[in-house]
Amino acid sequence: MTETGAKESIVPIETPDQAARSGVFKRLLKNPLGLVAMIILLIVILAGIFGPLIAPFDPNKADLVNALTGPGTAGHLLGTDSAGRDVFSRLLVGAQSTLLAAALAAIVAVAIGLPTGLMAGYFGGWFDSVASWCTNVLMSLPAIIILLAASAALGRSVWISMTVFGILMSPGIFRLTRTSVQAVRNELYVDAARVAGLSTASIIGRHILFVVRAPLIIQTSIVCGIAIAIQAALEFLGLGDPLTPTWGVMLNEGFINIYSSPILAVWPGVAISLTVGSFVVLGNALRDALEDSPKVKRAKSIKLTPPKTESITAVELAASDHLLTVSRLGVGYPQEGGTTKTVVSDVSFHLDRGEVLGIVGESGSGKSQTAFSILGLLPAEAEITGGSITFDGIPLVSAEGRQLSQGRLSELRGKRIAYIPQEPMSNLDPNFTIGYQLVRPLTRVLGLSKEDAQKRALELLTIVGITNPQRTFNAYPHEVSGGMAQRVLIAGAVSCNPDLLIADEPTTALDVTVQAEVLDLLRDLQARFNMGVVLVTHNFGVVADLCDRVVVMQNGRVVESGDVRTILRSPQERYTQTLLSAMLEGKTPMSLLTVAPPASDTPASDSAVKVGLS
């Protein structure tokens, strides 16, 4: 591809993050409650920042001559307290320490609860058990007693109190995050990201964290509001520093003088109520702006010069006996009572470079479990009970049934081993554009720049037969058809020129016409990139159309294997014969239901209805 042609084919695109930021702010402004809450908090924040500079009096300067004066007396806008200190100045300056204390509590709670919740929800296991036990212990402690004890032991410091309070609030963040992560960690698009070669940190940081952002925003805003209320409550009880002007100290001062000057309690009470309510309302409004917004794309038409496909070349492959060897593989799941349910037993086959191997069998025969064993995507509770898997001389599963670590597998997945899933729509993350999901593996796995990755993604979309790749690049998964989504997944699978492609029933969710197109596409790509392909299917028609050799599985075992022509023409096993006989090809179809026309001398209501089968 020429340099000029590359420049012509790419039109600068507003990134999803840029579009999201601008769109969220606009939708937030359109929410009346959110707008009011944002204005109130903005006023409070500005008061906290500039309060010490614009305060008309020193907030700690006592003037006993003017003690307990009313609003507007002697230049005091809101009056004075029992020591003659200006209430308005203390209210302005107190906003700073109050907001900083709330921010400290929220930061501590999120810093502890969010990462532990992400790891416990995603990895589970012993870390989940230990973290859950610790949070249960924290939640069982009476918070106000702990805060009082901390204040007595460590001193009357609002910063110490809010740090302890943040620790006590972290279990709520932890549980919320853990539950949200557990709901999505087994989604197919997470598995697709793992197969694409993305690291665990990248998957958690983008695909997983993106899901928990909405409840996390609301929970954080609630923590800020509660922190302000708790801080005020502690200082109201006299546990604050009387020399530090805060709203809680002012509230305590107002309560002491409730009979002589009841208005002193009104000003800090109003400030605390408005600030706490604004935090909660703004959190909900921000959640609505992030989650309930329509996905809007630029309507500007884009002119695209189709890129030349010669720039993508097949990987130079070293000669070896077999690209993939599976020997006596066994997979099982532990059951109650210490037993193990075996779903794959003694499965053996091999795959050469540039060859297509079909694994065929009915549902539950162990086809997908075998494929997932190669990919390292078995559920956490699954066990490799025996056998070995070797990919190009690299042992993925040892003879003792030990699987290669996920870290080593991630070095192969996305680079040398690719995967095409069965459900195209479920394997695309609905929160990101198709272009983003194609570009990110190219930048993270191959190390391409964002511009080069975008060019490569558009080129791949053209190769897989998408007529308007730029429009598809900008679209979200829900805006494309199932057939187009499958083509997108195929483009992503071959984006890094893999040596091995595992396709798990890639045409099951598609109609007949699109199935034929996808099979033609797979055949063309397999020849173009000289890949070895493992095709998992229950359809012998697909096997006959695409495969060189076939493995027939039943009840987790291989019952027959060999050349496709030999198996189709002369199957030796009764199960294989049964599968072949279940195909519709060559069968007499059922005709349409027909209604015989009524005779001229017979009323239409008495006419007989004839149903015929050809």
Side-chain angles (χ1 to χ4, degrees):
M1 185 192 300
T2 64
E3 200 173 309
T4 304
K7 291 180 180 178
E8 292 176 352
S9 62
I10 303 299
V11 177
I13 303 172
E14 185 182 23
T15 65
D17 290 339
Q18 293 171 339
R21 282 194 294 267
S22 61
V24 166
F25 185 71
K26 291 179 181 178
R27 290 187 292 275
L28 192 58
L29 293 178
K30 293 180 180 180
N31 187 327
L33 291 177
L35 180 60
V36 172
M38 189 164 55
I39 292 174
I40 293 174
L41 287 178
L42 181 61
I43 293 173
V44 174
I45 291 172
L46 291 177
I49 296 174
F50 299 106
L53 302 177
I54 65 176
F57 297 92
D58 184 348
N60 288 322
K61 182 180 178 180
D63 184 6
L64 296 178
V65 176
N66 294 315
L68 297 177
T69 59
T73 306
H76 298 287
L77 183 62
L78 301 179
T80 60
D81 61 9
S82 59
R85 296 170 296 190
D86 183 62
V87 173
F88 180 67
S89 298
R90 291 176 65 81
L91 202 64
L92 287 177
V93 176
Q96 185 179 80
S97 56
T98 300
L99 291 179
L100 289 177
L104 175 62
I107 290 172
V108 171
V110 173
I112 297 175
L114 179 60
T116 53
L118 286 172
M119 290 188 293
Y122 187 78
F123 295 108
W126 67 268
F127 183 85
D128 184 21
S129 301
V130 173
S132 298
W133 182 85
C134 292
T135 56
N136 291 337
V137 170
L138 282 176
M139 294 186 74
S140 67
L141 299 176
I144 191 65
I145 301 300
I146 298 298
L147 289 172
L148 292 174
S151 179
L154 303 176
R156 295 184 177 185
S157 171
V158 65
W159 313 117
I160 294 176
S161 298
M162 289 300 100
T163 301
V164 173
F165 180 71
I167 296 173
L168 294 175
M169 292 298 292
S170 62
I173 302 289
F174 168 83
R175 285 194 167 188
L176 181 66
T177 305
R178 174 178 173 270
T179 303
S180 301
V181 172
Q182 287 179 332
V184 299
R185 69 179 180 183
N186 294 322
E187 291 291 336
L188 295 178
Y189 63 79
V190 175
D191 285 342
R194 293 168 62 189
V195 173
L198 297 184
S199 64
T200 300
S202 179
I203 295 173
I204 294 177
R206 296 296 298 180
H207 297 278
I208 300 295
L209 184 58
F210 199 91
V211 175
V212 304
R213 63 174 184 170
L216 186 63
I217 288 171
I218 296 178
Q219 188 70 12
T220 303
S221 65
I222 293 175
V223 169
C224 289
I226 295 176
I228 293 175
I230 291 294
Q231 176 196 357
L234 292 175
E235 292 168 341
F236 176 78
L237 295 174
L239 300 178
D241 184 1
L243 299 179
T244 302
T246 63
W247 294 346
V249 170
M250 294 179 66
L251 195 63
N252 175 262
E253 173 74 15
F255 180 75
I256 293 174
N257 299 281
I258 191 68
Y259 294 110
S260 57
S261 183
I263 198 171
L264 283 179
V266 172
W267 309 121
V270 170
I272 292 171
S273 301
L274 287 177
T275 305
V276 172
S278 296
F279 268 119
V280 176
V281 172
L282 183 61
N284 283 273
L286 185 57
R287 189 281 311 269
D288 294 339
L290 286 170
E291 298 299 311
D292 300 338
S293 59
K295 310 295 185 181
V296 180
K297 302 200 314 296
R298 178 181 60 183
K300 181 180 177 181
S301 60
I302 299 175
K303 183 178 181 181
L304 177 69
T305 302
K308 298 179 181 179
T309 59
E310 287 78 12
S311 62
I312 297 181
T313 57
V315 179
E316 294 294 333
L317 300 173
S320 65
D321 293 335
H322 300 302
L323 176 65
L324 176 69
T325 302
V326 178
S327 177
R328 306 184 69 85
L329 176 67
V331 178
Y333 288 83
Q335 304 292 305
E336 295 183 1
T339 61
T340 299
K341 180 181 179 180
T342 301
V343 295
V344 174
S345 176
D346 199 28
V347 171
S348 300
F349 58 83
H350 68 271
L351 175 71
D352 294 330
R353 301 176 186 274
E355 184 182 32
V356 181
L357 173 70
I359 302 180
V360 67
E362 62 185 325
S363 298
S365 60
K367 310 184 301 298
S368 295
Q369 293 291 309
T370 302
F372 290 159
S373 300
I374 301 172
L375 291 165
L377 293 181
L378 288 171
E381 62 272 16
E383 296 178 352
I384 302 292
T385 58
S388 63
I389 301 176
T390 304
F391 167 72
D392 199 18
I394 303 173
L396 304 182
V397 174
S398 65
E400 295 81 15
R402 296 178 180 177
Q403 196 164 35
L404 191 65
S405 66
Q406 288 295 326
R408 293 290 306 278
L409 276 172
S410 63
E411 297 176 2
L412 296 174
R413 292 189 304 230
K415 293 182 180 178
R416 302 194 61 194
I417 302 177
Y419 172 60
I420 300 175
Q422 179 177 356
E423 296 289 343
M425 301 305 293
S426 300
N427 283 271
L428 292 171
D429 194 329
N431 297 302
F432 298 96
T433 62
I434 287 173
Y436 177 87
Q437 297 182 63
L438 288 176
V439 166
R440 188 164 180 80
L442 292 173
T443 57
R444 297 302 296 268
V445 177
L446 295 186
L448 298 180
S449 66
K450 191 172 183 180
E451 182 180 357
D452 291 339
Q454 181 180 325
K455 295 176 183 177
R456 183 71 171 269
L458 289 169
E459 186 175 353
L460 288 165
L461 291 176
T462 303
I463 290 175
V464 297
I466 294 178
T467 56
N468 193 335
Q470 187 73 66
R471 184 174 62 185
T472 304
F473 185 93
N474 294 340
Y476 285 83
H478 69 273
E479 296 174 320
V480 300
S481 65
M484 189 174 294
Q486 190 66 284
R487 291 175 184 271
V488 169
L489 290 176
I490 293 173
V494 302
S495 61
C496 299
N497 296 340
D499 300 331
L500 172 63
L501 177 65
I502 298 178
D504 185 9
E505 302 192 22
T507 61
T508 299
L510 308 176
D511 58 64
V512 177
T513 303
V514 179
Q515 282 185 19
E517 295 176 354
V518 170
L519 290 177
D520 290 339
L521 174 61
L522 286 175
R523 188 185 300 106
D524 175 69
L525 292 175
Q526 186 271 334
R528 183 194 297 265
F529 296 108
N530 194 28
M531 298 179 295
V533 178
V534 175
L535 179 65
V536 177
T537 182
H538 60 270
N539 190 339
F540 258 114
V542 174
V543 171
D545 191 22
L546 200 62
C547 299
D548 302 307
R549 291 186 301 108
V550 62
V551 172
V552 183
M553 293 187 64
Q554 181 188 23
N555 296 331
R557 296 178 178 272
V558 175
V559 296
E560 191 169 2
S561 63
D563 177 75
V564 168
R565 289 180 177 270
T566 302
I567 297 296
L568 292 180
R569 292 178 177 177
S570 304
Q572 301 300 311
E573 297 295 327
R574 182 174 180 82
Y575 178 71
T576 308
Q577 297 171 4
T578 303
L579 286 180
L580 287 170
S581 66
M583 295 178 60
L584 294 178
E585 187 174 349
K587 303 295 189 300
T588 302
M590 180 182 293
S591 67
L592 296 175
L593 297 178
T594 59
V595 179
S600 57
D601 56 347
T602 306
S605 59
D606 296 332
S607 60
V609 178
K610 299 180 180 180
V611 179
L613 297 179
S614 29

